[in-house]
Amino acid sequence: MLYNINEKGYYGEFGGAFIPEMLYPNVEELRQNYLKVMAEPEFQKEFNQLLKNYVGRPSPLYFAKRLSAKYNTNIYLKREDLNHTGAHKINNTIGQILMAQRLGKKRIIAETGAGQHGVATATVCALMGLECIVYMGEIDIARQAPNVARMKMLGATVVPALSGSRTLKDATNEAIRDWINNPVDTHYIIGSVVGPHPYPDMVARFQSVVSEEIQWQLKEQEGKTKPDYVVACVGGGSNAAGAYYHFLDDTNVKLIAVEAAGLGVDSGESAATSALGKEGIIHGSKTLLMQTNDGQITEPYSISAGLDYPGVGPMHAHLYKTGRAEFISITDDEAMKAGLELCKLEGIIPAIESSHALAIFEQKKFKPNDVVVLSLSGRGDKDLGTYINYFKL
Amino acid sequence: MMNRINQKLQEDKKLLSIYFTAGYPELDNTVTIIQNLEESGVDMIEIGLPFSDPIADGPTIQASSTQALKNGMTTDVLFKQLKDIRKSVNIPLIIMGYFNPILQYGVEAFCKKCAEIGVDGLIIPDLPVDVYYEAYKTTFEKYGLINVFLITPQTSDKRINFIDSISNGFIYMVSSASVTGSSSGFGDEQTQYFKRIADMNLTNPQIVGFGISDNKTFLQATQFSKGAIIGSAFIKHLTNKAVNKIRSFVKSIRD
């Protein structure tokens, strides 16, 4: 069984490029060039130097002693929260801005939900002196004010998406429309392993540095390169794709994907795509997505703005369908409790997205000698308002 | 029997095709709009099956789609509304919709239903040419449906020739790099593009869409092509005026 992408741009039956002809030249240009550009020694050198000196990689692999003791197993946290801009998102935007430069693009567009990817994109645009336009749902702009301010300080123009449900999926639609209207000089930096081929694969490759580091860091600390489990939260799925990447075809390493159940999988207010979704097309990719019987895409809900995407990347749809990854859904309450627990036990305030991954220890028992690596995808600073409201701090 | 689209394309005139979103402005306007368009002398109609996330469309068609869905439009409702359409309407009817709702209905079931009703063709902007060719061409042909592909100013000659080779009706020529409803008037760049495509002497005639809103743009668009499609401008007309004032809109384009 092959778990990575095939030469036609599919993970099993998922993926592909279901795009209007107006987007074809843009996407085709990228498809023809991305692997070639990424393989260039100069590209590799610049990418790795920026990851080291600008992002602060490698991010630590930290043995969480008190958390491990509480759950009677061995838990390592992959500290993506310590990256510049506070999450794993920057790994991808660094890669894509270098790609855009090599393709001769002068103008960068991006979509953002919670604002983390928007900030990471605005950051690399400032770094390279490129124009940056970020599309963000009108509703998200209102509830993520600090990130909107960050993007503006970094020189980006934030454009409200006023159509449809005015959240992440509509911001993505608006970014796609912008790209249709600007086919020559613009590169679209998609923030997750979603969208038409080659985006899911390109983003997964830029994020794969996470599992590459896990291998040698674990070797240093545990004397082996392979954990028993890799755990990550999944919205679109980019931090999970990065954490799984080098273990995809090694079935001795078990993969756990944690989705946001919101108020409960059957509550009608959820973002658990694997449980609630059906096969279909969203943003140019054949994958699992939440939709009506009639094929209209529905609006998901999660307390975590980074997890409320109605689809999931095609890699994850394939991992779900084949049973390669175990999918667990975690409610708002379970995630918030796990987030606070990490604060008290380890002195780390996690992003609420990552708190969902942390919550599985209350649901799933691990053996005392298991080695569990959990992707701590982001830090909780951006979520302080939500934590304050939730815990009445 | 020859497909109505092919019959129409043989007529010695420039064709006017009108797009509207089914279920807009009111859920039950579909049949009235179609009948009025035919009576007003329109040559062909594109019935838009609304979608929640129409990425190739601009604000006008997106807003009409959102409203149509709110009004209760679904694939089943549309098929029910169109059940007896061939008792009163003779011009070619094309359903234009995004791929996901069709996929959920079942591609073969959808095609079968279209054939039963008397729909002549489909335009599915996000169904890629290669996927259609490998997976669905046989099904479309089995039910006598013409699938219409889009080309843009950025589409390479090689790709245009391939699209021409697998088309059996007309080619939908997108006037400029844009979503629907965003252009105002055509410049030299468009005229040169229209001429370039005309000079390729393709097997399938071309009909121009995107950016046509009045008599002037209709004439520009059809100078080198077989016809033109109007969408957003007609939707705006429906928004502003009553459904029964369609004749004046069509007259303003033709004269």
Side-chain angles (χ1 to χ4, degrees), chain B:
Chain B
M1 191 187 84
M2 191 189 242
N3 187 298
R4 289 180 199 88
I5 295 172
N6 295 121
Q7 286 178 35
K8 181 59 78 176
L9 288 165
Q10 287 181 353
E11 289 180 16
D12 185 23
K13 65 189 277 208
K14 301 291 185 184
L15 304 182
L16 172 62
S17 183
I18 297 280
Y19 167 95
F20 74 98
T21 307
Y24 180 85
E26 308 281 340
L27 179 63
D28 294 326
N29 288 150
T30 312
V31 173
T32 315
I33 291 174
I34 292 172
Q35 288 170 342
N36 274 294
L37 284 171
E38 178 168 46
E39 282 162 22
S40 307
V42 163
D43 297 299
M44 201 150 49
I45 298 173
E46 288 166 32
I47 305 162
L49 177 64
F51 182 50
S52 54
D53 296 78
I55 52 176
D57 287 300
T60 305
I61 293 181
Q62 158 111 33
S64 70
S65 302
T66 305
Q67 186 59 46
L69 293 171
K70 259 188 212 154
N71 291 345
M73 182 50 72
T74 66
T75 311
D76 275 325
V77 168
L78 179 61
F79 283 146
K80 228 170 264 170
Q81 291 177 344
L82 294 177
K83 193 164 62 79
D84 295 322
I85 197 71
R86 283 303 174 197
K87 288 181 182 162
S88 59
V89 172
N90 293 313
I91 59 173
L93 298 175
I94 295 173
I95 290 185
M96 182 162 186
Y98 288 82
F99 192 40
N100 197 49
I102 297 170
L103 198 60
Q104 300 312 318
Y105 195 89
V107 175
E108 171 134 26
F110 193 92
C111 290
K112 186 162 180 272
K113 200 78 193 174
C114 285
E116 280 168 21
I117 288 167
V119 168
D120 307 290
L122 294 171
I123 303 175
I124 310 168
D126 60 342
L127 173 60
V129 182
D130 54 333
V131 176
Y132 167 77
Y133 187 66
E134 283 165 28
Y136 301 116
K137 188 169 183 278
T138 329
T139 309
F140 277 53
E141 285 173 357
K142 179 177 162 190
Y143 294 101
L145 291 169
I146 285 176
N147 192 34
V148 178
F149 295 104
L150 276 57
I151 62 168
T152 79
Q154 273 75 37
T155 310
S156 69
D157 284 4
K158 189 179 163 208
R159 192 167 165 84
I160 292 173
N161 281 319
F162 175 66
I163 287 171
D164 190 38
S165 75
I166 63 164
S167 297
N168 54 354
F170 64 91
I171 290 173
Y172 190 134
M173 202 166 128
V174 176
S175 65
S176 56
S178 71
V179 293
T180 55
S182 47
S183 164
S184 54
F186 297 128
D188 287 348
E189 204 181 318
Q190 268 95 26
T191 311
Q192 274 170 25
Y193 158 62
F194 297 156
K195 196 164 179 323
R196 173 168 72 85
I197 303 300
D199 288 345
M200 285 180 78
N201 290 316
L202 301 173
T203 313
N204 293 272
Q206 303 92 53
I207 297 188
V208 180
F210 290 41
I212 298 138
S213 57
D214 52 20
N215 177 254
K216 188 179 166 214
T217 42
F218 178 77
L219 291 177
Q220 283 178 322
T222 54
Q223 191 187 348
F224 298 104
S225 74
K226 182 65 189 165
I229 304 163
I230 297 181
S232 298
F234 181 65
I235 301 281
K236 279 184 194 154
H237 179 83
L238 289 180
T239 309
N240 297 334
K241 312 246 169 54
V243 170
N244 55 17
K245 286 193 181 156
I246 287 172
R247 187 177 291 267
S248 64
F249 178 82
V250 175
K251 200 168 178 303
S252 76
I253 303 296
R254 285 285 199 198
D255 297 342

Side-chain angles (χ1 to χ4, degrees), chain A residues 167 289 354:
Chain A
T167 58
L289 63 133
S354 317

Side-chain angles (χ1 to χ4, degrees), chain A residues 88-278:
Chain A
H88 69 289
K89 293 288 185 190
I90 189 100
N91 303 328
N92 170 46
T93 59
I94 293 271
Q96 286 205 47
I97 200 81
L98 297 177
M99 180 69 62
Q101 283 184 322
R102 276 155 182 81
L103 296 176
K105 306 295 179 181
K106 305 284 178 234
R107 183 174 171 274
I108 300 296
I109 55 171
E111 85 295 338
T112 197
Q116 287 307 102
H117 173 59
V119 168
T121 303
T123 298
V124 296
C125 287
L127 182 68
M128 299 301 175
L130 290 176
E131 185 188 358
C132 180
I133 294 111
V134 180
Y135 290 90
M136 189 169 185
E138 193 183 29
I139 289 177
D140 290 331
I141 287 180
R143 62 185 178 186
Q144 304 289 341
N147 272 343
V148 176
R150 284 185 185 102
M151 286 184 268
K152 287 181 178 167
M153 287 180 73
L154 293 161
T157 306
V158 180
V159 181
L162 306 171
S163 62
S165 51
R166 294 173 291 148
T167 58
L168 176 57
K169 84 177 170 73
D170 308 284
T172 308
N173 294 339
E174 291 302 335
I176 291 173
R177 290 184 183 115
D178 180 308
W179 212 19
I180 287 174
N181 287 325
N182 296 283
V184 180
D185 67 337
T186 299
H187 177 72
Y188 176 20
I189 300 190
I190 294 184
S192 192
V193 286
V194 301
H197 177 65
Y199 276 104
D201 185 44
M202 181 173 68
V203 176
R205 284 169 187 266
F206 287 140
Q207 292 292 357
S208 70
V209 63
V210 175
S211 49
E212 193 184 305
E213 288 172 4
I214 291 172
Q215 289 180 309
W216 64 258
Q217 289 173 320
L218 205 58
K219 177 83 179 168
E220 276 180 7
Q221 296 181 57
E222 283 281 330
K224 58 178 189 178
T225 56
K226 291 164 191 171
D228 297 297
Y229 292 88
V230 179
V231 181
C233 63
V234 173
S238 66
N239 97 84
Y244 298 164
Y245 197 86
H246 290 282
F247 307 115
L248 279 173
D249 290 325
D250 183 350
T251 49
N252 291 321
V253 180
K254 297 177 198 73
L255 309 177
I256 298 179
V258 186
E259 292 183 315
L263 302 182
V265 170
D266 300 318
S267 66
E269 298 290 334
S270 177
T273 305
S274 69
L276 300 168
K278 278 190 311 183

